[in-house]
Amino acid sequence: MTDTFELATLGVRAGQRRTGFQEHSEALFLTSSYVFENAAQAAAGFAGGGDGYVYSRYTNPTVTMMQERLAALEGAQACVATASGMSAILATAMVLLKAGDHVVSSNAIFGATIQLFSTLLSKFGIETTFVPLTRIEQWQRAVRPNTRLFFLESPSNPLGEVADIAAIAAVAKQAGATLAVDNCLCTPVLQRPLALGADLVIHSATKYLDGQGRVLGGAVAGAKGAVMDSLVGFLRTAGPSISPFNAWVILKGMETLEIRMLAQSERALAVAAWLERHPQVARVYYPGLPSHPQRALAQRQQRAGGAIVSFDVKGGKEAAWKVIDATKLISITGNLGDVKTTITHPATTTHGRLTPEARAAAGIGDGLIRLAVGLEAVEDLKADLKRGLG
Ligand SMILES: *Cc1c(COP(=O)(O)O)cnc(C)c1O
């Protein structure tokens, strides 16, 4: 199926398996275990020899459908779903790394991922060097003989910096390290990291794959083989498996993924272009704008700019809070990936625990606002933002 159909078709159709009832919509299997014909079949199932289902911590038919649909979209041979995006990253680290190993990671990644690498994994003797996303020579220089994993997100959140994934993949390959790309912000609709040379793609399915802010979920996709098999083994043993209900919601979410990502990107571009012309706005960060410093790379690597638009308002924190507090339509929340537009002040929320110096080094100014653009009409979003921009 993967070879013959376009992305839109795969999102709607890939991975579906019908039961004997011939249901048209994908079935939700709310069951924790499965029954066997006889003792011998049960023994084979537990030994991992049978192809039947055993227990939903290992896997479940609804989860299988979700995994196969996401694998098809990413152009991956295999996919393993997890309870959340963070558990997908944890699972990847647990199967690839051991005490004494070293990670090179972008410093512009999700806050909890930074915490995972710098506080949790370091307890187990795994060290991480954080480097600027766009500085290839620093990735190269950070490599040590024990480097096993390269990790990045592109574009970065909230500043929309774009990594040259193919170039970083080449450095990883030379270092003998696995490159894992968290593709949460683009989804396979806008960017397919495996085709650019990444080894693994990681998702927080909580965001755009669900798309309507309902459930938590995560996934890792990659080539069939030892790493993907070890991920299945990790879930079976350690247990951060996805709920079949959540997998079903995400499975159905993927049916509208392409149309949502393109429509949300289109709206984001319109809002970004409007903000860029506003006299109260000092700077707009959006990979889809002609003014973006990495315009050519973004256009080569991504099908559209995505739905995250950040901007600096003149007047610092006070001015930024005024814009946020004047909104009536847009939701004040840190979440993203929803069809409902959200607004947040990174300096006092997502990046609030950093010291002012670390924040400044990360480029998170007091006047910075992040929008995660949804599906409302552009004119209504502009009117909502205009109020506080004065
Ligand atoms: C939200 C997010 C995560 C974590 O996902 P959860 O599903 O909340 O655990 C990881 N990476 C990125 C880029 C995210 O936005």
Side-chain angles (χ1 to χ4, degrees), residues 82-89 108-113 151-157 182-185 202-208 215-219 334-337 370:
T82 58
S84 64
M86 288 320 302
S87 56
I89 298 168
I109 55 173
F110 192 63
T113 314
F151 188 94
L152 65 87
E153 289 169 24
S154 183
S156 67
N157 174 20
D182 182 335
N183 202 26
C184 171
L185 258 54
I202 293 180
H203 275 285
S204 168
T206 313
K207 313 291 170 52
Y208 295 100
V215 299
L216 289 176
N335 198 31
L336 59 92
R370 189 199 71 189

Side-chain angles (χ1 to χ4, degrees), residues 121-188:
L121 295 182
S122 65
K123 278 202 328 191
F124 298 92
I126 296 161
E127 212 183 321
T128 301
T129 304
F130 293 99
V131 295
L133 181 64
T134 58
R135 303 284 295 276
I136 287 286
E137 75 286 356
Q138 294 207 32
W139 287 81
Q140 212 140 22
R141 224 179 301 137
V143 170
R144 301 179 191 167
N146 57 342
T147 303
R148 294 284 172 268
L149 173 65
F150 271 37
F151 188 94
L152 65 87
E153 289 169 24
S154 183
S156 67
N157 174 20
L159 296 179
E161 288 191 307
V162 179
D164 187 336
I165 296 176
I168 294 176
V171 177
K173 195 169 177 153
Q174 202 170 26
T178 298
L179 171 61
V181 174
D182 182 335
N183 202 26
C184 171
L185 258 54
C186 276
T187 83

